[in-house]
Amino acid sequence: MIKDIFDYTKGELKAELESLGEKPYRAKQIFSWLHARSAVSFDEMTDLSKDLRARLKEKYSIGGLSVPDMQKSKLDGTRKYLFRLYDGELIEGVFMEYREWNTACISSQVGCAMGCRFCASTVDGLSRDMTAGEMVQEVYEMERSTGKKISHIVVMGSGEPLLNYDNLLRFIDIITDGDGKGVSQRNITVSTCGIVPAIERLAMEKLGREHPQINLAISLHASNDDKRKMLMPIAEKYSMAELVRASRLYYEKTHRKITFEYALVKGENDSEADARELAELLQGMPVLVNLIPVNPVTESGYSRPSREAVINFKNKLENFGINGSIRRELGSDIDGACGQLRMRHSRDARR
Ligand code: SF4
């Protein structure tokens, strides 16, 4: 079976090239063509012999991601991509422009099994894990079509990245490699709904010689277990106390400040008592609570609190000693919420 060469780390490519009877330094050349020089065909790799290029063509493909739809915000240039993968599956990615850098928000699974009640990505369940090569190509496709360099990556699109752990780590290995794109680990944020054993595993991981330097954003969305269970089925499995313990371990090992994501849902988790309980839970660890006024998804029936209620909640948290921020809304004139563009296309296809 022909394999996608984007899936290989530089170390794995070395082993592949050796098995073809080639010198290991060829791996570095090929890796640089793919990840630093944006090659999309083996013919572009002119410092390889014609014979080697022919053998590579027989054994590997280069990517296979296409863009059946893209929406561009007229307000701020945010672009929402619908990507089609080699097997026809659809996923989304978002390109966001900030003043000093550009960020890619990428998906890590096709759909999601986690069932968070406010999220469109999970409505049709999980289809499959994405490969590391597919994740890498989301970033490269956004760079290619915008002509802009991406320095920051958030793994916050569809899927629970820590349930696709090995591919996530392989993706990080590839995208941070200095012979390729060389994104700083500190510019990568992985968002999780709170898979406690995987957070503990990641804390103990060595990426290179160090503990990870990637940022964790943990979706909390409630101030106590009972409320969280109503929004996020994962709360039936791991309590918030366990989740906060795992977060502390991650902070102790990595010294990276943890962000807790809190989707504010009107009348569900936006009261003063919620702010107090949340602050008590997070005391003693440097954290940021990122408040996200929930995007109304027809299926969920939840509605968004007023701007004033959001600011009030942030002020309450800060009075209780917890730093808060309000997520800047980008692309509010396009199918902005995660999973909505994909859902619309899947439904159109079924009609
Ligand atoms: S919020 Fe994240 S973990 Fe929860 S269902 Fe959506 S994609 Fe999955």
Side-chain angles (χ1 to χ4, degrees), residues 168-186:
L168 174 73
L169 257 55
R170 175 177 281 121
F171 163 74
I172 291 168
D173 187 334
I174 295 170
I175 206 91
T176 57
D177 193 308
D179 287 322
K181 185 146 175 59
V183 173
S184 162
Q185 274 193 47
R186 289 171 172 239

Side-chain angles (χ1 to χ4, degrees), residues 112 114-116 118-119 121-122 157-160 193:
C112 185
M114 294 290 96
C116 302
F118 45 80
C119 176
S121 294
T122 196
S158 67
E160 167 48 62
C193 69

Side-chain angles (χ1 to χ4, degrees), residues 36-102:
R37 302 168 77 177
S38 310
V40 291
S41 76
F42 291 112
D43 290 328
E44 289 169 63
M45 303 181 186
T46 44
D47 51 2
L48 306 182
S49 69
K50 277 195 176 153
D51 169 61
L52 177 55
R53 279 184 261 159
R55 282 188 293 146
L56 290 172
K57 270 190 232 173
E58 274 169 27
K59 214 166 169 222
Y60 307 101
S61 59
I62 303 188
L65 191 93
S66 59
V67 185
D69 196 4
M70 194 275 290
Q71 297 183 347
K72 185 174 177 193
S73 166
K74 292 193 179 72
L75 302 175
D76 51 41
T78 298
R79 295 186 193 208
K80 182 135 203 171
Y81 290 84
L82 185 74
F83 294 121
R84 179 171 288 121
L85 307 179
Y86 74 93
D87 56 358
E89 292 284 8
L90 297 172
I91 51 126
E92 290 180 0
V94 183
F95 171 85
M96 292 166 285
E97 276 184 282
Y98 294 91
R99 195 170 307 157
E100 286 167 11
W101 64 74
N102 300 310

Side-chain angles (χ1 to χ4, degrees), residues 203-257:
M204 303 310 293
E205 202 75 59
K206 291 282 174 74
L207 304 184
R209 269 185 255 136
E210 309 283 340
H211 286 287
Q213 287 300 294
I214 56 177
N215 309 298
L216 268 193
I218 299 178
S219 300
L220 210 52
H221 302 321
S223 55
N224 61 49
D225 284 319
D226 288 340
K227 286 195 174 187
R228 193 160 186 261
K229 282 176 192 168
M230 282 159 51
L231 293 166
M232 304 178 72
I234 192 69
E236 299 282 352
K237 201 158 181 188
Y238 307 112
S239 69
M240 285 170 73
E242 289 174 298
L243 185 50
V244 170
R245 232 184 348 261
S247 310
R248 279 185 209 280
L249 177 70
Y250 191 82
Y251 173 72
E252 279 164 25
K253 295 293 172 193
T254 64
H255 303 294
R256 303 300 294 157
K257 190 199 264 184

Side-chain angles (χ1 to χ4, degrees), residues 19 131 257:
S19 76
T131 64
K257 190 199 264 184

Side-chain angles (χ1 to χ4, degrees), residues 50-340:
K50 277 195 176 153
D51 169 61
L52 177 55
R53 279 184 261 159
R55 282 188 293 146
L56 290 172
K57 270 190 232 173
E58 274 169 27
K59 214 166 169 222
Y60 307 101
S61 59
I62 303 188
L65 191 93
S66 59
V67 185
D69 196 4
M70 194 275 290
Q71 297 183 347
K72 185 174 177 193
S73 166
K74 292 193 179 72
L75 302 175
D76 51 41
T78 298
R79 295 186 193 208
K80 182 135 203 171
Y81 290 84
L82 185 74
F83 294 121
R84 179 171 288 121
L85 307 179
Y86 74 93
D87 56 358
E89 292 284 8
L90 297 172
I91 51 126
E92 290 180 0
V94 183
F95 171 85
M96 292 166 285
E97 276 184 282
Y98 294 91
R99 195 170 307 157
E100 286 167 11
W101 64 74
N102 300 310
T103 298
C105 172
I106 64 165
S107 292
S108 58
Q109 294 181 309
V110 181
C112 185
M114 294 290 96
C116 302
R117 304 255 146 77
F118 45 80
C119 176
S121 294
T122 196
V123 172
D124 292 329
L126 173 71
S127 294
R128 68 167 172 87
D129 286 338
M130 287 176 64
T131 64
E134 288 170 335
M135 291 187 238
V136 165
Q137 287 169 71
E138 291 181 74
V139 178
Y140 296 171
E141 183 53 40
M142 291 184 211
E143 284 198 330
R144 195 196 60 71
S145 78
T146 57
K148 293 183 177 165
K149 189 172 156 55
I150 288 170
S151 58
H152 289 60
I153 297 169
V154 292
V155 189
M156 219 176 253
S158 67
E160 167 48 62
L162 295 186
L163 289 184
N164 188 12
Y165 191 93
D166 292 342
N167 285 329
L168 174 73
L169 257 55
R170 175 177 281 121
F171 163 74
I172 291 168
D173 187 334
I174 295 170
I175 206 91
T176 57
D177 193 308
D179 287 322
K181 185 146 175 59
V183 173
S184 162
Q185 274 193 47
R186 289 171 172 239
N187 290 351
I188 299 176
T189 299
V190 170
S191 170
T192 173
C193 69
I195 312 293
V196 167
I199 295 172
E200 291 166 347
R201 183 178 167 193
L202 188 63
M204 303 310 293
E205 202 75 59
K206 291 282 174 74
L207 304 184
R209 269 185 255 136
E210 309 283 340
H211 286 287
Q213 287 300 294
I214 56 177
N215 309 298
L216 268 193
I218 299 178
S219 300
L220 210 52
H221 302 321
S223 55
N224 61 49
D225 284 319
D226 288 340
K227 286 195 174 187
R228 193 160 186 261
K229 282 176 192 168
M230 282 159 51
L231 293 166
M232 304 178 72
I234 192 69
E236 299 282 352
K237 201 158 181 188
Y238 307 112
S239 69
M240 285 170 73
E242 289 174 298
L243 185 50
V244 170
R245 232 184 348 261
S247 310
R248 279 185 209 280
L249 177 70
Y250 191 82
Y251 173 72
E252 279 164 25
K253 295 293 172 193
T254 64
H255 303 294
R256 303 300 294 157
K257 190 199 264 184
I258 293 182
T259 300
F260 287 94
E261 305 283 350
Y262 196 95
L264 272 174
V265 183
K266 187 177 176 185
E268 297 282 339
N269 63 1
D270 61 346
S271 70
E272 171 156 2
D274 287 308
R276 183 190 301 276
E277 234 177 337
L278 183 59
E280 281 169 6
L281 182 78
L282 301 178
Q283 282 306 327
M285 172 171 50
V287 299
L288 178 74
V289 174
N290 192 24
L291 300 171
I292 310 155
V294 76
N295 256 311
V297 176
T298 325
E299 281 71 11
S300 72
Y302 290 128
S303 48
R304 102 175 9 217
S306 66
R307 174 94 191 141
E308 194 189 358
V310 176
I311 292 169
N312 267 342
F313 195 86
K314 176 177 176 284
N315 292 342
K316 297 261 160 47
L317 274 183
E318 286 177 349
N319 291 343
F320 296 130
I322 297 290
N323 284 333
S325 63
I326 299 171
R327 183 183 287 177
R328 201 178 128 207
E329 263 194 283
L330 290 171
S332 57
D333 55 332
I334 54 181
D335 274 326
C338 173
Q340 286 186 336

